[in-house]
Structures are given as C-alpha cells and as structure tokens.
Amino acid sequence: IYFNYSNIFKRRIQEETMKMEYEFKDSLYVIASRMGENKPIEEALRHAQKFLPDYVISQKLFGKTVDNINLLGMPLENAVFDPNYGALKNNPSSLIRTSMKLLVDSVKMGVEVSARTLMSLSLQLQNSDKVNKMLSILVKNITSTMKTMAVFIAPVVLGITTALQKIVMISMG
C-alpha cells in the first residue's frame, strides 16, 4: 500500500507522457500539412490545437506555445524552451523535446523546409511505432515459451536430476 500510494503520482505523469508521445506523431502530421500550405507556425499550432481538441498534447504543448507567442510576445524558441514560461517546462519526454527543437530549428530555415522536415519526422515516428509493436509481439512469444519451460519442463528435469543424484549417492555408499 505504501509503495502504491507513494508512486501513484509518478505513474500518472508517466502515463500522461506516454500518451502525449503517442499523440505527437499525429499532431506533427497536422502541423506539417498546415505549414505545407505556406501558413506560419503560429497558425499551424493553433490549427492543430483546434483540429485535435481531445489530445492532451494539443492543449498542454501547442496551446501553451500559442499563448506564449500571442500573450507574452515571445519568439518561438522562447515560447517552447523558456525555463520559466516555456511550454516544455514540466515535460520530461526527450522525444517531444528533441522533436520540438527540430521544429524550431527548421522554422528558421523556412516554412517549406519545416513542413518537409516535420512530415519526414512524423513518418519516421510512425515507422518506429510499428517496429516497437512488432518487437513486443516477438518478445511476447519468446517469454511465453520461457514461462512454459519454467512451469512444466524445469520441474521434470529437476526431479530426474535429483533421482539420479540419489541413485549415485546410494551406489557410492
């Protein structure tokens, strides 16, 4: 009970971060498609926030970034990475942090370059997710085989070994 209640808040943050990472690849595609229409990044982020209202990442990251740009007058990099007011201030995800760094750097090169970069990143994240799912299926098969061996085969082998050891000890005695 102690360990459950002492780690329950950490687990909630971990689950929220995992959900945000899962939603991030879809939202990147929406942002990239909007920027492909030669729209500025602020409008693309606002569109992603309105287009994906049920996503946690659209409210916490994109909404906070747009608010920092519009209300506080921050440039994009400060709106995302500022240690006091930045959108990623309390976000522990390295995937989201590095992807947003890539977004900020690519916007400096132009909207068209940024759109292509984000589209490629979104496809790469989707492919990475597919690979992770395939690996988990493969590992699940191996672990189920190992569990079967541990439950059924290992006790039989241990019993035979113990019986042989007893026979050897009796014959030596």
Side-chain angles (χ1 to χ4, degrees):
I1 293 172
Y2 169 75
F3 288 118
N4 183 33
Y5 285 110
S6 65
N7 293 320
I8 195 165
F9 299 110
K10 293 176 188 176
R11 181 67 181 152
R12 284 184 189 159
I13 291 171
Q14 184 183 29
E15 287 173 348
E16 183 179 272
T17 303
M18 288 170 35
K19 185 175 182 182
M20 286 176 69
E21 287 177 350
Y22 180 76
E23 295 171 347
F24 191 65
K25 62 182 175 295
D26 297 332
S27 59
L28 272 182
Y29 187 81
V30 171
I31 293 170
S33 65
R34 192 67 171 179
M35 290 178 71
E37 300 170 358
N38 287 328
K39 303 289 182 183
I41 184 67
E42 295 86 6
E43 187 175 324
L45 291 173
R46 189 178 306 112
H47 175 73
Q49 181 185 9
K50 290 178 182 175
F51 188 74
L52 306 168
D54 296 335
Y55 279 18
V56 175
I57 195 161
S58 66
Q59 300 307 319
K60 288 203 168 195
L61 181 65
F62 304 143
K64 178 87 169 146
T65 303
V66 170
D67 288 345
N68 286 346
I69 291 170
N70 291 335
L71 299 176
L72 299 177
M74 293 180 159
L76 178 64
E77 187 169 3
N78 288 347
V80 176
F81 297 110
D82 188 67
N84 296 325
Y85 301 108
L88 289 176
K89 182 177 98 173
N90 295 324
N91 192 325
S93 173
S94 62
L95 173 72
I96 294 174
R97 185 171 298 279
T98 55
S99 298
M100 290 302 288
K101 182 68 175 162
L102 182 67
L103 175 119
V104 169
D105 291 343
S106 65
V107 165
K108 291 177 184 175
M109 291 183 225
V111 178
E112 188 176 312
V113 172
S114 180
R116 281 188 273 142
T117 303
L118 292 180
M119 195 69 72
S120 299
L121 180 62
S122 175
L123 293 173
Q124 184 179 5
L125 289 175
Q126 288 175 352
N127 290 338
S128 171
D129 193 38
K130 288 178 186 175
V131 168
N132 285 338
K133 286 180 182 176
M134 290 296 291
L135 284 175
S136 67
I137 290 170
L138 291 173
V139 169
K140 191 181 291 186
N141 290 338
I142 293 170
T143 55
S144 66
T145 303
M146 290 176 70
K147 285 180 185 177
T148 303
M149 288 179 66
V151 170
F152 297 114
I153 298 172
V156 171
V157 171
L158 184 61
I160 293 171
T161 306
T162 306
L164 287 176
Q165 180 187 10
K166 189 174 182 181
I167 291 171
V168 168
M169 294 300 282
I170 290 173
S171 65
M172 289 180 80

